[in-house]
Amino acid sequence: MEKIVLPEIENLNQIDVYIAHDGFQSAKKAFAQTPDALIDQVKKSGLRGRGGAAFSAGLKWSFMPKSTDKPKYLCINGDESEPGSFKDRQIFEYNPFQLIEGVIITCYAIGAKVAYLYVRGEYHKWIKLMQNAIDTAYEKGFLGEKMKETFGTQFSCDLFIHKGAGAYICGEESSLMNSIEGYRGYPRVKPPFPAQKGLWGCPTTINNVETITNVPPIISKGWEWFSKIGAPKHPGTILFGISGHVNKPGVYELPSGVLLTDLIYNYAGGVPGNKKIKCVIPGGSSMPPLRGDQLEGVKMDAESLKEVGSAIGTGGVMVMDEDTNLLKVLLRITKFYHHESCGQCTPCREGTSWMEKTLHRILDGHGTSNDLDLLVNVANNIEGNTICALGDAAAWPVKFMITRFRDEFEKYVNPNISLPVPNKVHSMRQTAVPLEDISK
Ligand SMILES: Cc1cc2nc3c(=O)[nH]c(=O)nc-3n(C[C@H](O)[C@H](O)[C@H](O)COP(=O)(O)O)c2cc1C
Ligand code: SF4
């Protein structure tokens, strides 16, 4: 099977090797075309974002205004902080020049002269590797003013790394832009969307690292070629990062639509001790979990996972065997989202805290069956009522773990105590405003 994002070529992270394998030829081909033609090809290829929401990359690019007197920007999202997700760092380490070439083509297509690569702060090693690759690209004339001569074009762009400071919320696109601007990483209320008002109030496109790395092969081999790989509505390959109870955890580049069971048993070597699977989270910790007895025939692409009540997210697959304590897993996940909530909106700030406390109470042996209903109720009141999707990311694991594994959770609660639980507390939507507005 052909690898698009992480080709199996030795030392591809060295610029001479990359050039010897047709490196930067896609950019050359791109400069011979109009930006609109490139956007059209990426749209037709069916490339969808690999950062979580699987939104059409070409469509997103087309939202950038054509005539504006403001500068335009590209942000490449390498924050990679979703638990269970560890694939972008493979690109930084093994194929940094294809990412850089993707940045060059994207900048040209959307009309951006400056790009920021936002990398999670803990990735010291990968920041260093990426900075070396960028420095080398400048030296060899593939970035900055020198690229005009190299590619024989009037266009040039610059690429800078912006290092995060360890906050998960800075992976959210509007928060990421605030962080680059030097402000606290608070998500912004949308609309306006980044293409209208992004970095420093200027039109901005934000794409994930893996999304951008897919661009050069699409330009060199054509959109038709790409659109025929994997699942028709979500084509291409996906970097699946598989972890947990599997014999061979790691990152596997496979066509979208691969069977989840194939991924677990054939690629990741199955479950240690041949134990049964209790639960799989298919796309990073915020995605709805699947039951072990629900995995047969499940395909790993956005549409197929939606059909079984989950989502592809970042392709971070977490496998849990039959001995896993799901209460502990859910508490750990909830603690994470509570800790990472930026606190701007009440449902997320308070709800994540209540959910963590309630799960703690159950784990301490003081829970009731009503606590399980209460947890689902709180999750329902967070979902859709917040400024950014961290609220949903915190709510879904609670809501779906408890509803899909109720039998598991019932084991930990006292069946003899029953308290009434309100159906809906009240609409909290009006509280979803930034703190600055509340303080006025
Ligand atoms: C709380 C939160 C954290 C996020 N973290 C990341 C991240 O680490 N990397 C990423 O690419 N997208 C992340 N996203 C999604 C981004 O907001 C954005 O949709 C994405 O970078 C767009 O790129 P794509 O269209 O290429 O997928 C996050 C979203 C939320 C709500
Ligand atoms: S949902 Fe609201 S409180 Fe939670 S992280 Fe997003 S903006 Fe902050």
Side-chain angles (χ1 to χ4, degrees):
M1 205 287 304
E2 189 175 7
K3 313 269 194 233
I4 299 173
V5 177
L6 293 173
E8 283 160 346
I9 298 168
E10 220 172 302
N11 299 327
L12 194 59
N13 55 5
Q14 291 175 19
I15 198 157
D16 295 341
V17 177
Y18 185 69
I19 292 169
H21 286 86
D22 292 333
F24 296 106
Q25 291 304 312
S26 304
K28 203 164 180 187
K29 193 173 170 190
F31 287 128
Q33 302 173 54
T34 64
D36 280 350
L38 296 173
I39 294 175
D40 193 48
Q41 285 165 58
V42 173
K43 232 191 240 179
K44 284 183 183 153
S45 76
L47 174 65
R48 292 170 69 169
R50 306 293 197 241
F55 190 78
S56 159
L59 192 59
K60 189 185 276 190
W61 294 6
S62 73
F63 295 152
M64 290 291 272
K66 300 276 177 271
S67 53
T68 170
D69 50 0
K70 291 183 174 168
K72 300 183 207 173
Y73 295 102
L74 170 68
C75 294
I76 310 102
N77 196 339
D79 193 53
E80 187 148 84
S81 303
E82 172 86 344
S85 182
F86 46 93
K87 43 97 180 175
D88 293 337
R89 70 183 189 205
Q90 298 292 107
I91 297 172
F92 298 148
E93 187 161 353
Y94 297 107
N95 202 5
F97 295 108
Q98 190 172 315
L99 168 61
I100 293 172
E101 189 172 5
V103 170
I104 294 168
I105 299 169
T106 311
C107 278
Y108 175 64
I110 63 170
K113 287 183 64 66
V114 176
Y116 293 96
L117 171 59
Y118 195 99
V119 188
R120 81 177 273 180
E122 294 92 335
Y123 273 7
H124 305 288
K125 171 183 162 185
W126 292 280
I127 288 169
K128 226 185 237 173
L129 290 172
M130 224 29 241
Q131 189 59 60
N132 284 343
I134 292 172
D135 292 346
T136 310
Y138 269 103
E139 274 164 33
K140 301 272 181 182
F142 293 109
L143 282 170
E145 274 298 301
K146 277 203 223 164
M147 66 187 276
K148 288 183 178 169
E149 201 183 315
T150 310
F151 292 111
T153 168
Q154 286 309 303
F155 182 83
S156 72
C157 61
D158 286 297
L159 170 59
F160 304 99
I161 290 183
H162 187 99
K163 198 174 139 188
Y168 168 70
I169 192 58
C170 288
E172 192 281 333
E173 57 186 21
S174 61
S175 180
L176 178 148
M177 293 188 293
N178 273 343
S179 173
I180 291 176
E181 287 182 25
Y183 295 110
R184 189 171 178 159
Y186 275 154
R188 300 174 183 173
V189 178
K190 290 183 245 179
F193 292 98
Q196 303 161 275
K197 200 173 172 203
L199 210 48
W200 293 291
C202 301
T204 304
T205 291
I206 298 121
N207 273 128
N208 171 259
V209 164
E210 186 186 343
T211 314
I212 295 288
T213 310
N214 270 289
V215 172
I218 291 173
I219 301 305
S220 60
K221 297 186 179 176
W223 63 266
E224 295 97 336
W225 162 80
F226 187 87
S227 67
K228 289 189 184 105
I229 300 166
K233 289 189 178 166
H234 186 188
T237 59
I238 295 177
L239 296 183
F240 294 106
I242 181 162
S243 63
H245 295 132
V246 285
N247 285 311
K248 292 193 289 175
V251 175
Y252 296 87
E253 181 174 0
L254 298 167
S256 60
V258 63
L259 284 174
L260 177 54
T261 45
D262 241 11
L263 179 57
I264 296 171
Y265 293 103
N266 295 339
Y267 292 95
V271 182
N274 283 326
K275 287 185 185 170
K276 281 193 199 149
I277 294 175
K278 184 183 278 182
C279 172
V280 175
I281 302 178
S285 63
S286 58
M287 296 300 134
L290 301 169
R291 288 182 67 98
D293 54 19
Q294 207 193 344
L295 308 182
E296 215 49 58
V298 172
K299 289 182 182 173
M300 294 297 286
D301 62 88
E303 306 306 318
S304 307
L305 281 168
K306 205 164 149 193
E307 272 170 31
V308 294
S310 191
I312 190 77
T314 57
V317 180
M318 299 155 99
V319 180
M320 290 163 251
D321 74 17
E322 57 189 307
D323 296 330
T324 310
N325 181 330
L326 291 185
L327 175 58
K328 284 189 180 168
V329 171
L330 186 56
L331 176 57
R332 188 65 196 86
I333 291 174
T334 305
K335 196 178 165 74
F336 173 80
Y337 290 113
H338 174 208
H339 184 260
E340 299 299 330
S341 165
C342 82
Q344 274 193 110
C345 15
T346 310
C348 173
R349 184 185 64 244
E350 300 302 320
T352 51
S353 163
W354 295 347
M355 292 193 302
E356 187 189 338
K357 283 181 190 153
T358 310
L359 286 163
H360 250 303
R361 182 162 69 229
I362 297 172
L363 190 66
D364 290 344
H366 306 301
T368 70
S369 198
N370 298 89
D371 281 330
L372 300 178
D373 297 327
L374 180 66
L375 280 162
V376 175
N377 183 275
V378 173
N380 279 333
N381 276 291
I382 297 174
E383 192 183 350
N385 289 329
T386 55
I387 293 173
C388 88
L390 188 143
D392 298 345
W396 289 347
V398 170
K399 176 174 163 175
F400 291 106
M401 260 305 181
I402 293 177
T403 49
R404 289 180 185 169
F405 297 87
R406 182 88 191 199
D407 47 340
E408 282 282 322
F409 286 86
E410 288 287 355
K411 286 186 216 159
Y412 299 97
V413 296
N414 187 335
N416 301 320
I417 306 173
S418 172
L419 298 166
V421 174
N423 276 337
K424 179 107 178 148
V425 182
H426 58 80
S427 168
M428 298 197 219
R429 192 171 289 275
Q430 69 273 22
T431 61
V433 294
L435 281 181
E436 300 95 273
D437 291 1
I438 290 172
S439 60
K440 271 180 202 155

